[in-house]
C-alpha cells in the first residue's frame, strides 16, 4: 500500500508537468482525488490493514493527498500566469502608433450669424419666437396690410400649396401670430427660413433666412428703434459702426426705413464690399402700422411698436467677405472649414 501511495504521488508529479489547460488540471484532480479517484481507491482498502499499520499508512496517505493538492495548485498557478502573459502579449499597446483622428465639424456661417444676433437680443431682454414655414396667406400678406393686388405680393412671389397656403416669403407673419396671442409688452426676435420664387444667382436663392424683430409697448418711438439698431450694429460689426435710416415703404410699418450700417471693411471710406458707398444695407424696419396692431386686437391708441427684418445671408456675406451666396448652400467642406 505504501508502494501504491508513492506510485500515485510519482504519477501526479509527472503528469502535473504536462498539463496544457485548466481542463487538463481538472481531469488530473478527478483522476486522483475524485470520489472514484485512485487515492480514494487506495484509502478504501485501509480496512484490511492491521491496527499497527493503519496510522502509519493513514499518515502517509494524508501527506500524499496534501502533496497532490499542492502540485495541482502549483500547476494551476503556472498555467494562469502563462495565459496571462499570452493575453498581455495579445493586448500589447503600441503607444507610438499614430492615432485615428476624428474630424470635428464646425458651425455653418449662417448658424454663426443667427446665434450672434440671438445673443445680442437675448442680452437686451428679447425672447425668441418661431412660426411655421408653411403659412396661411392671411398671416403672410393680409394681416400685414399686403392685400390682393398689392405690388409687394409680386415682389415676394412664392410657392403656393393651396390658394390660401404658401411657403412664407418673410418672417413678418410671426409678428402677427405673436401679437394675436400676447398682450404687450412684447419683445421678440424670430429667426427662420423663408421662400421666394427667385432664380439662383450670386445674390439670390429661392430659400434664405431672415430674422424678424418686434417690440410693442406703451410709448415706443422711432428713437427706441434707432437706439436698438445702433446697439445691435455696434455689437455685430464693431464699436465704430454707425447706422443710417433711408426712407422706404413697407405696407406693415409707417413710417418705414431701410437701414444701412457703415461699411465694416473700410469704415465708410468706400471699398469693394460697400461698392464704394461707405454703407451697406442690412435690414428693413419701421413703426408697426396702426392697422396691423388693430388686426391683432391691440389698441394703437394705447400701444405702439417697432419692427425690423434682417437678411441673414446678406449679413453673413458681408461679415465674412463671401461674394457668392451659392457657396453657403453647396456644403463644400473646404469652404465651410474657414469659419
Ligand atoms: N419682411 C420684409 C421683407 O422681407 C422686411 C421687413 C421690413 C421686416 C420692415 C420688418 C419691417 O419687420 O419692419 O422684405
Amino acid at each position: 500500500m505504501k508502494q501504491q501511495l508513492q506510485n500515485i504521488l510519482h504519477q501526479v508529479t509527472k503528469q502535473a508537468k504536462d498539463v496544457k489547460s485548466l481542463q487538463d488540471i481538472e481531469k488530473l484532480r478527478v483522476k486522483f482525488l475524485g470520489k472514484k479517484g485512485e487515492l480514494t481507491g487506495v484509502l478504501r482498502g485501509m480496512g484490511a490493514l492491521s491496527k499497527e499499520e493503519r496510522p502509519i499508512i493513514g499518515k502517509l496517505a494524508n501527506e500524499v493527498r496534501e502533496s497532490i493538492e499542492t502540485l495541482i495548485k502549483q500547476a494551476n498557478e503556472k498555467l494562469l500566469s502563462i495565459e496571462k502573459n499570452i493575453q498581455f502579449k495579445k493586448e500589447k499597446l503600441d503607444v507610438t502608433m499614430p492615432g485615428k483622428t476624428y474630424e470635428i465639424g464646425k458651425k455653418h456661417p449662417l448658424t454663426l450669424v443667427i446665434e450672434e444676433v440671438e445673443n445680442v437680443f437675448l442680452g437686451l431682454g428679447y425672447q425668441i419666437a418661431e412660426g411655421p414655414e408653411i403659412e396661411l396667406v392671411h398671416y403672410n400678406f393680409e394681416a400685414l396690410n399686403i392685400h390682393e393686388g398689392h405690388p409687394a405680393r409680386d415682389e415676394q412671389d412664392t410657392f403656393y400649396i393651396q390658394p390660401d397656403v404658401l411657403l412664407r416669403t418673410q418672417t413678418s407673419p410671426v409678428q402677427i401670430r405673436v401679437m394675436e396671442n400676447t398682450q404687450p409688452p412684447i419683445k421678440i426676435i424670430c429667426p427662420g427660413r423663408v421662400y421666394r420664387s427667385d432664380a439662383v444667382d450670386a445674390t439670390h436663392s429661392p430659400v434664405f433666412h431672415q430674422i424678424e424683430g418686434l417690440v410693442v409697448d406703451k410709448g415706443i418711438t422711432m428713437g427706441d428703434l434707432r437706439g436698438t439698431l445702433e446697439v445691435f450694429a455696434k455689437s455685430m460689426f464693431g464699436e465704430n459702426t454707425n447706422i443710417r435710416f433711408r426712407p422706404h415703404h413697407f405696407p406693415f410699418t409707417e413710417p418705414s426705413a431701410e437701414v444701412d450700417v457703415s461699411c465694416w471693411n473700410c469704415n465708410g471710406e468706400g471699398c469693394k464690399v460697400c461698392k464704394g458707398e461707405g454703407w451697406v444695407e442690412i435690414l428693413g424696419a419701421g413703426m408697426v402700422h396702426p392697422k396691423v396692431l388693430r388686426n391683432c386686437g391691440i389698441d394703437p391708441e394705447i400701444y405702439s411698436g417697432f419692427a425690423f427684418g434682417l437678411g441673414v445671408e446678406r449679413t453673413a456675406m458681408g461679415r465674412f467677405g463671401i461674394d457668392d451666396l451659392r457657396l453657403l448652400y453647396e456644403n463644400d467642406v473646404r469652404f465651410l472649414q474657414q469659419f
Side-chain angles (χ1 to χ4, degrees):
M1 210 168 235
K2 201 171 156 189
Q3 187 60 43
Q4 265 178 312
L5 285 170
Q6 272 162 356
N7 204 15
I8 286 173
L9 186 58
H10 180 68
Q11 276 186 59
V12 177
T13 311
K14 220 171 101 190
Q15 288 179 24
K17 275 188 193 134
D18 295 336
V19 291
K20 299 238 154 39
S21 67
L22 293 174
Q23 280 117 306
D24 285 354
I25 293 179
E26 180 58 12
K27 269 188 210 155
L28 196 67
R29 194 188 64 78
V30 171
K31 188 173 168 201
F32 291 98
L33 298 180
K35 266 190 195 150
K36 292 178 188 157
E38 294 197 17
L39 183 68
T40 323
V42 174
L43 293 177
R44 253 190 222 120
M46 277 183 52
L49 293 175
S50 68
K51 251 193 192 162
E52 296 76 40
E53 270 177 320
R54 220 175 282 157
I56 299 166
I57 298 294
K59 190 167 167 248
L60 184 64
N62 270 338
E63 281 166 9
V64 169
R65 168 189 291 279
E66 273 165 25
S67 304
I68 294 175
E69 278 168 356
T70 310
L71 281 167
I72 286 179
K73 206 173 135 203
Q74 282 167 352
N76 203 18
E77 277 164 7
K78 193 171 137 199
L79 215 67
L80 284 177
S81 94
I82 290 171
E83 274 182 7
K84 215 185 260 173
N85 276 336
I86 292 171
Q87 203 181 352
F88 281 159
K89 263 186 205 146
K90 243 198 266 170
E91 292 177 3
K92 196 166 132 185
L93 196 66
D94 181 355
V95 291
T96 64
M97 277 212 337
K100 280 185 199 158
T101 53
Y102 293 97
E103 296 219 12
I104 296 173
K106 288 188 162 188
K107 285 184 183 167
H108 193 279
L110 293 177
T111 308
L112 290 174
V113 168
I114 291 172
E115 287 185 354
E116 225 170 294
V117 176
E118 282 177 354
N119 280 337
V120 173
F121 283 100
L122 286 172
L124 294 173
Y126 284 61
Q127 288 186 321
I128 296 173
E130 283 186 331
E133 286 174 30
I134 298 173
E135 185 55 285
L136 292 169
V137 168
H138 171 75
Y139 287 110
N140 195 80
F141 290 134
E142 303 294 338
L144 287 163
N145 217 15
I146 312 172
H147 298 293
E148 185 109 52
H150 194 289
R153 287 217 191 184
D154 266 354
E155 278 164 35
Q156 300 192 7
D157 191 17
T158 183
F159 306 92
Y160 282 82
I161 290 158
Q162 287 167 11
D164 59 342
V165 181
L166 46 62
L167 295 182
R168 66 179 178 192
T169 61
Q170 45 188 351
T171 43
S172 305
V174 187
Q175 290 188 32
I176 306 296
R177 289 182 171 274
V178 171
M179 285 193 283
E180 269 184 356
N181 290 315
T182 330
Q183 276 301 304
I186 295 169
K187 267 173 100 174
I188 50 151
I189 55 162
C190 339
R193 203 168 283 153
V194 299
Y195 304 81
R196 293 188 192 176
S197 62
D198 286 335
V200 177
D201 66 24
T203 52
H204 291 87
S205 159
V207 184
F208 59 104
H209 298 76
Q210 290 186 336
I211 299 176
E212 195 79 12
L214 174 71
V215 172
V216 184
D217 203 350
K218 285 179 186 158
I220 298 293
T221 68
M222 196 105 178
D224 296 313
L225 172 60
R226 202 190 154 97
T228 303
L229 292 181
E230 222 169 83
V231 169
F232 163 68
K234 284 185 194 302
S235 14
M236 225 22 215
F237 300 105
E239 264 311 299
N240 295 328
T241 309
N242 290 315
I243 59 169
R244 96 176 163 184
F245 279 42
R246 278 181 292 106
H248 197 75
H249 172 75
F250 294 107
F252 42 92
T253 44
E254 182 59 34
S256 307
E258 276 187 333
V259 180
D260 301 337
V261 295
S262 55
C263 180
W264 47 81
N265 193 48
C266 63
N267 259 328
E269 298 281 309
C271 71
K272 214 179 103 192
V273 171
C274 57
K275 300 193 183 82
E277 291 281 319
W279 297 91
V280 184
E281 186 205 321
I282 56 157
L283 51 82
M287 300 305 290
V288 182
H289 199 295
K291 262 194 193 166
V292 173
L293 290 174
R294 218 173 282 126
N295 284 344
C296 302
I298 294 174
D299 186 349
E301 298 297 329
I302 303 175
Y303 295 105
S304 56
F306 67 72
F308 58 86
L310 169 84
V312 176
E313 275 75 0
R314 192 181 296 179
T315 309
M317 286 168 78
R319 203 45 211 287
F320 299 121
I322 300 164
D323 56 9
D324 193 325
L325 180 141
R326 286 166 287 200
L327 289 165
L328 292 168
Y329 299 110
E330 280 165 0
N331 287 337
D332 185 331
V333 190
R334 291 167 303 177
F335 169 74
L336 295 174
Q337 264 168 352
Q338 300 174 62
F339 304 97

